[in-house]
Amino acid sequence: MKEIILVKDGELSLKGLNRATFESKLVNNIKRRLKPLGEIKITRAQSTMYIEPISEDFDFEEALMRVGCIFGIAGYSRACVLKKTPEDIFEKAPIYLEKTLKKAKTFKVEAKRADKSFPLKSPEICMELGGVILSKFNHLKVDVHNPDVTVTVEVRDFAAYVRAEQLKGAGGLPVGTSGKAEILISGGIDSPVAAWMMAKRGLSLNAIHFASPPYTSVRAEEKVKTLLSKVAVYSGGINLAIVPFTEIQEEIRNKCPEDYFTLIMRRMMMRIACIVAGKDGCLGLITGESLGQVASQTLPAIGSTDSVCTLPVLRPLIGMDKEEIVKISRNIDAFETSILPYEDCCTVFTPKHPHTRPKPGQCEKAEEKLDIEKLIEKAINGIQYSYIE
Ligand code: ATP
Ligand code: MG
């Protein structure tokens, strides 16, 4: 029996006049993600999309997994395509749903009849198909209020579709509908989660990572790439810029007061990230900061880093506990990679007593011996780009 994937879009239905743009973005995202699996055709009717495999060898199970990771989709299900006749529906629906119905104790049938020329009305479809199912699966009972399985029949213009389970989609908005932003990615737990959260709100992603060889290793960079590939399952491909940061950190160590090392380092990161982001068409930065988590994440410290930024900084984890962050990290399969013990440039030259509450002007004074412009220019010239998917 021919199968298709039915997709219900999510918040799209709220978007009024923008709806068409959002929908076409979602269709393109679906096409891009499923293309490697074979040819497909997508049709739309009301708030449902029908993804129909064309290639013989289309990997249907993999396609279902991928659809589950596409933002902008509220729910999805697999359905079989039947002829638009009562005979075909009543004969084949119980066969198609056999596995699911055998596992259930109770069920109900729902019917939607978009094609009003179909000889049975919706309640009649429910009654008759319900009867057929009861006669084939003796153990089942009908429960219209809280059934284990809801069998849905949709009679549309060209065919009838039968499905059982509705799977929960990834939610959010289609990637790209909110523009593009630059995620500052470390090898830790937080930044991949922050990236995922903002992709969920419709941002496509570029990434920037600061590396300080030989203090940080090639394996730390590989770890960042692996983390981004986990995020890319949801966000689509990500351009990564790896910035050489060693000289800046050594200059900070040699020329700045120790208790300001971390703050100044973070200000340098933000300055560079804003320039790189602007060049690459990003509208903002994203970090994995969470209020109070470490010395550099107090409100005055955040204020001091914000003051050197020329783009808005999104901090989706700002009000979250570590436990909540870890839960998402596990869900997106990033956690096991994040806890691998490779050093990050943030842990190089960490002060014993970091300054946590800088007053306005203090950071500027602490960094006055640095040739900031020259250091930034050199770092940016040394950037290595790669594409992660
Ligand atoms: P994470 O778990 O994401 O590493 P963290 O709790 O360790 O975060 P910090 O090390 O203070 O916190 O970093 C705060 C944020 O700064 C990170 O979430 C990330 O967005 C950014 N960041 C830290 N180190 C780097 C780096 N080497 N390259 C790029 N961005 C970084
Ligand atoms: Mg970190």
Side-chain angles (χ1 to χ4, degrees):
M1 254 176 273
K2 186 176 167 117
E3 274 196 300
I4 61 162
I5 303 174
L6 289 182
V7 166
K8 295 261 176 231
D9 54 33
E11 265 182 65
L12 290 192
S13 41
L14 302 174
K15 290 290 170 187
L17 289 175
N18 286 333
R19 190 182 167 93
T21 330
F22 278 66
E23 271 190 356
S24 70
K25 200 74 174 186
L26 180 56
V27 169
N28 284 339
N29 291 351
I30 294 174
K31 281 187 183 155
R32 188 158 1 97
R33 299 298 286 286
L34 300 189
K35 200 172 166 201
L37 308 178
E39 207 187 323
I40 53 165
K41 192 176 137 201
I42 301 182
T43 42
R44 287 183 269 173
Q46 278 114 34
S47 61
T48 307
M49 291 182 192
Y50 300 78
I51 307 175
E52 187 185 330
I54 307 287
S55 319
E56 283 288 314
D57 58 349
F58 187 79
D59 188 342
F60 199 81
E61 301 299 326
E62 173 67 22
L64 273 176
M65 296 246 295
R66 291 190 182 199
V67 167
C69 297
I70 297 175
F71 291 129
I73 293 177
Y76 62 106
S77 51
R78 60 196 305 164
C80 74
V81 186
L82 299 176
K83 271 195 236 131
K84 232 174 45 174
T85 62
E87 296 75 28
D88 206 44
I89 296 172
F90 299 154
E91 182 199 334
K92 297 202 177 125
I95 302 173
Y96 175 64
L97 301 172
E98 185 177 351
K99 251 194 186 158
T100 316
L101 291 172
K102 271 189 169 162
K103 279 189 283 181
K105 291 200 175 76
T106 57
F107 79 106
K108 76 169 172 184
V109 182
E110 278 183 356
K112 288 176 201 158
R113 193 179 58 137
D115 174 6
K116 301 296 176 201
S117 71
F118 189 74
L120 301 178
K121 294 199 175 95
S122 297
E124 292 166 343
I125 301 175
C126 295
M127 288 260 293
E128 296 227 9
L129 181 56
V132 175
I133 290 175
L134 282 173
S135 71
K136 297 211 158 109
F137 301 90
N138 294 326
H139 71 287
L140 278 177
K141 287 202 167 62
V142 173
D143 179 347
V144 290
H145 300 297
N146 196 14
D148 296 337
V149 173
T150 301
V151 175
T152 307
V153 182
E154 277 186 46
V155 183
R156 294 248 171 219
D157 291 344
F158 299 105
Y161 304 98
V162 172
R163 63 185 154 92
E165 282 144 315
Q166 173 91 354
L167 303 164
K168 198 168 160 15
L173 302 173
V175 166
T177 53
S178 299
K180 188 162 66 172
E182 184 94 36
I183 171 72
L184 282 85
I185 184 98
S186 70
I189 296 169
D190 303 331
S191 41
V193 172
W196 179 85
M197 284 178 74
M198 293 325 301
K200 186 173 182 183
R201 294 312 300 165
L203 281 171
S204 69
L205 302 175
N206 273 12
I208 187 166
H209 174 70
F210 297 86
S212 296
Y215 306 105
T216 62
S217 64
V218 175
R219 287 200 299 181
E221 285 175 34
E222 290 306 318
K223 178 182 174 183
V224 163
K225 289 181 180 170
T226 307
L227 287 172
L228 285 176
S229 71
K230 307 275 184 187
V231 175
V233 169
Y234 296 86
S235 67
I238 301 171
N239 279 309
L240 167 66
I242 298 188
V243 184
F245 206 50
T246 316
E247 187 180 348
I248 292 182
Q249 286 198 284
E250 287 178 340
E251 281 284 292
I252 295 173
R253 181 194 53 187
N254 295 338
K255 296 186 174 162
C256 304
E258 186 185 327
D259 51 341
Y260 280 88
F261 281 0
T262 309
L263 282 169
I264 295 173
M265 180 193 74
R266 297 203 56 78
R267 284 160 64 92
M268 292 301 283
M269 280 186 178
M270 297 305 241
R271 287 183 176 112
I272 293 171
C274 282
I275 295 172
V276 173
K279 273 191 194 164
D280 294 341
C282 294
L283 306 172
L285 305 183
I286 306 166
T287 75
E289 288 161 300
S290 166
L291 192 66
Q293 198 189 76
V294 291
S296 62
Q297 296 174 20
T298 63
L299 203 45
I302 287 173
S304 147
T305 46
D306 265 357
S307 70
V308 298
C309 288
T310 50
L311 291 172
V313 183
L314 305 176
R315 300 180 170 90
L317 313 188
I318 198 72
M320 286 169 74
D321 294 344
K322 199 73 186 184
E323 209 181 296
E324 297 168 302
I325 298 168
V326 165
K327 197 170 160 201
I328 298 178
S329 172
R330 286 188 194 279
N331 279 344
I332 62 172
D333 190 32
F335 187 72
E336 298 302 326
T337 307
S338 286
I339 58 175
L340 293 173
Y342 307 134
E343 61 303 300
D344 184 68
C345 72
C346 288
T347 53
V348 179
F349 313 136
T350 37
K352 279 193 208 73
H353 303 289
H355 213 301
T356 57
R357 298 181 192 282
K359 296 206 174 65
Q362 283 180 329
C363 287
E364 286 75 1
K365 179 137 196 7
E367 67 193 12
E368 68 189 359
K369 290 201 184 119
L370 296 178
D371 188 343
I372 292 176
E373 266 172 38
K374 202 169 120 218
L375 286 170
I376 289 179
E377 193 189 319
K378 224 172 141 192
I380 288 180
N381 286 336
I383 288 180
Q384 291 198 319
Y385 285 95
S386 48
Y387 184 68
I388 313 290
E389 43 191 347

